[in-house]
Every structure is written in C-alpha cells, then in structure tokens.
C-alpha cells in the first residue's frame, strides 16, 4: 500500500535526522531508484558500485572459484564463456549464483557418490544464467548441443 510505504519513508527520514553529528550511518540498497530523493539528501557521501566489466567478472570468477577443485580457471575459453554469461550481473549476483551452483553440485554429487561434479555445477550455472535471459537461452542451447566444459 502506498500510504504504508510513505509512513516507512517518513519514519526512516526521522530516524536519520535524530542521529547526532558524531554518528556514522552506512546504508546499502540494490534498488536506489526506488528510494525517495529526500533520503539521499541525508547522506553526505554516496558510493555507487557499478556492475563489473568483463575483466572484473573474470577476477571475481577467479576469486570465487579458486576454492573448489576445477579445470575451468586454467582454460581461457571456459573463463571467457562464463564472463560473457555473467555480463550485466552484479558482484553479489555472481557470488550468489556460483555459491548456489556449488551447493547443488555437491548435493547431487553426494547422491551419485561422486567426489565433486564440478562440470555438472558449471553446466547448471550456465543453465541458470541463461534461464534468466530467456532470449539468449534458446540460442545457447541450440549452438551448444555438446558440453563445452
């Protein structure tokens, strides 16, 4: 309800205004465009984290995947494929997607008595990414009938 949302915004503004000058308030949002401009005026500094570039995505992949046994990090083709698949994702989305895919792969591996089905995890990861991008999903499946990982 719109009235309830306005009350929440007003309450937030009032609470921010009651802080003394020695206070430090750190806030984060994934949807800055939904916040009332009056809230933004309460902050002296606003730091914006843009979505990562392809190079930064590659660095994130290195960071998040290095703790798991895999043959992906040594293969530039595989890294490039994942970089392109994650294009437009936020840092958090990349980390969450990888973490969820690793958990799923570990659970499936336990069910099949496999040590760690990493290729299965990455294939699941790519499927998830392309499901989010329905238009690209069809062309990915059509062009990749065989496993590339």
């Amino acid at each position: 309800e719109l009235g309830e949302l306005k009350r929440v915004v007003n309450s937030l503004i009032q609470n921010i205004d009651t802080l003394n000058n020695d206070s430090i308030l750190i806030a984060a949002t994934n949807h800055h465009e939904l916040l009332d401009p009056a809230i933004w005026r309460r902050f002296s500094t606003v730091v914006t984290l843009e979505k990562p570039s392809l190079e930064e995505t590659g660095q994130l992949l290195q960071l998040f995947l290095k703790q798991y046994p895999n043959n992906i990090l040594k293969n530039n083709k595989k890294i490039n494929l994942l970089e392109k698949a994650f294009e437009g994702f936020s840092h958090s989305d990349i980390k969450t997607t990888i973490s969820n895919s690793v958990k799923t792969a570990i659970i499936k591996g336990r069910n099949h008595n496999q040590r760690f089905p990493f290729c299965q995890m990455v294939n699941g990861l790519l499927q998830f990414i392309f499901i989010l991008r329905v238009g690209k999903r069809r062309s990915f499946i059509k062009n990749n009938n065989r496993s590339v990982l």
Side-chain angles (χ1 to χ4, degrees), residues 41-129:
R41 289 192 294 270
R42 281 7 188 226
F43 292 92
S44 59
T45 304
V46 175
V47 177
T48 302
L49 296 177
E50 299 298 329
K51 292 183 178 173
S53 66
L54 286 179
E55 181 182 336
E56 292 167 332
T57 298
Q59 293 170 354
L60 289 170
L61 290 170
Q62 297 282 338
L63 178 69
F64 298 142
L65 293 174
K66 71 181 178 184
Q67 58 192 330
Y68 305 107
N70 68 84
N71 65 354
I72 291 172
L73 297 178
K74 295 178 182 176
N75 186 317
N76 286 336
K77 279 187 171 183
K78 294 175 184 179
I79 290 292
N80 291 339
L81 177 66
L82 287 173
E83 286 173 349
K84 289 176 185 169
F86 276 118
E87 188 174 3
F89 279 53
S90 70
H91 301 81
S92 176
D93 291 339
I94 293 169
K95 182 177 182 180
T96 300
T97 303
I98 290 172
S99 295
N100 290 342
S101 296
V102 167
K103 289 174 193 173
T104 300
I106 290 170
I107 290 168
K108 286 184 177 182
R110 285 187 186 147
N111 292 341
H112 295 95
N113 294 322
Q114 297 173 359
R115 188 171 154 261
F116 188 79
F118 198 77
C119 287
Q120 185 178 18
M121 183 278 291
V122 174
N123 287 332
L125 177 65
L126 289 171
Q127 285 176 356
F128 175 74
I129 292 168

Side-chain angles (χ1 to χ4, degrees), residues 12-20 42:
L12 177 61
I13 290 171
Q14 288 171 354
N15 283 307
I16 291 172
D17 289 344
T18 62
L19 296 173
N20 63 38
R42 281 7 188 226

